[in-house]
């Protein structure tokens, strides 16, 4: 199937890509922007193992190539290693696009990725991608010293000849990224070279300006809105607030799940301590969440779940979902619980609210999600 570029761009219109070279700072900036604007970050490195599990040798040979140990991995020739890196990135892209189309339909998503200029032209427009670059020389030590790359550091240090393994990595990364840097700088796309004298906050402001997000940061101020005026309330059965919540759900953009939530409200399936909460501003519902005994997973022994977290698009980026989650957690404490669970497709989102990754779980649809827990401290 050959999907036309204009169709892909429309399907990915809510995705903001941060690409570039090794050690250019894309992962750091992606995480910081995700935290500031409460936007989930899709890191293609973190989902590689999931994609590898559903790949096959015929269609994705590079992704399925295995190595007995570090000596075999780093014992390849320069060309073999370089081609393997390039082919892995190319083969994974189909999985990445499929994921992004699915998860970005009703929300903005930041994609921390390695896409090339030619791929960027197919997938997005200039205002939705930023390339972060670093001079591609002697990057392997910086790469290994990052806390999120400790596995690779341990692996390369398990080689019989560690200096030789690092030298090969440096040569390959320099070769790959030199060509990328040149291509990016000669393209129409925005790029920013790493400058260690520039703070993370300064780099973020530059990227925000490029994405046009600074126009949004004064959204509340421009409308005379004080965040203190936002109130979180529990919804009671048979009240006007319950009717208002049903109307909010039926008209929200969360197409995949709104019918299910509407059913829950109409039938009022909540028992015992289960509840729904809403964020209100001037009496208008702008967000919701719930706390439940079960969720879309065959693991009844795990509860309570903080679920149905949703904020209207125009109010996103102001940590309103965090206010809802905090309220739900306080409610859980009042009802005698010492922890709550949240399932998600993403890393880098609920960690900002004190949640920690537990394990991957399979939902009733057969898809893999990540389970996070927040334990309450005395």
């Amino acid at each position: 199937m050959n999907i036309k570029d204009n169709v892909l761009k429309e399907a990915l219109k809510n995705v903001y890509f941060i690409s570039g070279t090794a050690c250019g700072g894309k992962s750091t900036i992606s995480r910081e922007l995700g935290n500031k604007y409460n936007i989930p970050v899709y890191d293609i490195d973190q989902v590689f193992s999931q994609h590898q599990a559903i790949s096959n040798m015929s269609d994705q040979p590079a992704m399925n190539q295995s190595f007995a140990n570090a000596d075999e991995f780093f014992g390849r020739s320069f060309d073999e290693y370089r081609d393997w890196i390039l082919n892995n990135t190319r083969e994974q892209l189909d999985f990445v696009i499929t994921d992004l189309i699915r998860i970005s339909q009703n929300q903005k998503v930041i994609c921390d990725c390695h896409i090339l200029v030619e791929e960027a032209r197919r997938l997005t427009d200039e205002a939705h991608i930023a390339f972060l670059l670093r001079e591609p020389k002697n990057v392997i030590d910086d790469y290994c010293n990052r806390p999120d790359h400790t596995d690779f550091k341990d692996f390369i240090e398990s080689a019989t000849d560690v200096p030789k393994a690092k030298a090969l990595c440096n040569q390959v990364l320099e070769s790959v990224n030199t060509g990328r840097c040149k291509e990016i700088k000669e393209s129409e796309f925005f790029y920013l070279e790493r400058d260690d004298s520039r703070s993370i906050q300064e780099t973020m402001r530059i990227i925000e300006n490029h994405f046009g997000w600074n126009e949004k940061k004064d959204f509340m101020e421009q409308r005379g809105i004080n965040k203190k005026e936002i109130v979180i309330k529990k919804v009671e059965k048979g009240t006007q607030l319950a009717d208002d919540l049903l109307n909010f759900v039926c008209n929200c953009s969360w197409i995949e799940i709104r019918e299910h939530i509407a059913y829950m409200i109409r039938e009022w399936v909540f028992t015992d301590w289960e509840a729904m909460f809403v964020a209100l501003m001037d009496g208008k519902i702008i967000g919701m969440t719930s706390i439940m005994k079960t969720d879309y997973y065959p693991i009844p022994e795990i509860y309570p779940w903080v679920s149905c977290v949703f904020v209207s698009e125009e109010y996103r980026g102001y940590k309103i979902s965090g206010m809802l989650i905090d309220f739900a957690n306080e409610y859980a404490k009042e009802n005698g619980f010492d922890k709550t669970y949240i399932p998600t497709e993403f890393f880098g989102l609920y960690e900002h609210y004190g949640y920690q990754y537990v394990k991957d779980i399979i939902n009733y649809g057969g898809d893999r999600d990540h389970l996070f827990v927040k334990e309450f401290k005395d």
Side-chain angles (χ1 to χ4, degrees), residues 58-214:
S58 175
D59 296 315
Q60 294 88 23
M63 291 179 68
N64 283 272
Q65 189 171 358
S66 60
F67 305 91
N69 50 45
D71 287 340
E72 184 176 334
F73 185 90
F74 296 109
R76 291 174 289 174
S77 69
F78 170 88
D79 289 338
E80 288 172 333
Y81 191 5
R82 182 178 185 276
D83 291 345
W84 177 82
I85 287 179
L86 295 174
N87 288 332
N88 261 284
T89 302
R90 176 182 54 78
E91 291 173 5
Q92 190 188 7
L93 185 59
D94 288 342
F95 297 104
V96 170
I97 292 172
T98 303
D99 284 350
L100 290 174
I101 290 174
R102 174 173 51 85
I103 65 181
S104 69
Q105 293 311 291
N106 301 310
Q107 63 181 339
K108 288 183 172 62
V109 173
I110 297 171
C111 180
D112 174 2
C113 58
H114 313 297
I115 66 173
L116 307 175
V117 166
E118 63 183 77
E119 295 163 345
R121 291 188 179 118
R122 291 188 59 229
L123 302 177
T124 191
D125 57 44
E126 295 173 43
H128 277 227
I129 186 167
F131 288 95
L132 302 184
L133 312 180
R134 180 195 158 166
E135 181 68 21
K137 293 182 182 295
N138 302 319
V139 298
I140 195 61
D141 286 331
D142 283 352
Y143 187 87
C144 287
N145 288 335
R146 282 173 44 176
D148 55 338
H149 289 162
T150 54
D151 288 347
F152 185 77
K153 178 183 179 182
D154 292 342
F155 182 62
I156 198 170
E157 289 182 351
S158 71
T160 303
D161 190 337
V162 175
K164 182 179 178 182
K166 286 187 174 183
L168 176 64
C169 282
N170 267 323
Q171 290 170 358
V172 170
L173 290 175
E174 181 175 347
S175 171
V176 169
N177 291 313
T178 296
R180 287 181 178 175
C181 277
K182 184 176 185 297
E183 184 180 35
I184 291 165
K185 290 180 179 180
E186 292 176 353
S187 76
E188 69 275 23
F189 292 108
F190 170 88
Y191 70 88
L192 193 63
E193 294 189 85
R194 180 162 179 166
D195 181 349
D196 290 334
S197 67
R198 184 175 58 231
S199 69
I200 292 174
Q201 288 70 30
E202 289 172 326
T203 301
M204 284 176 60
R205 281 195 291 271
I206 295 171
I207 304 299
E208 287 169 331
N209 285 334
H210 170 65
F211 286 158
W213 290 356
N214 277 338

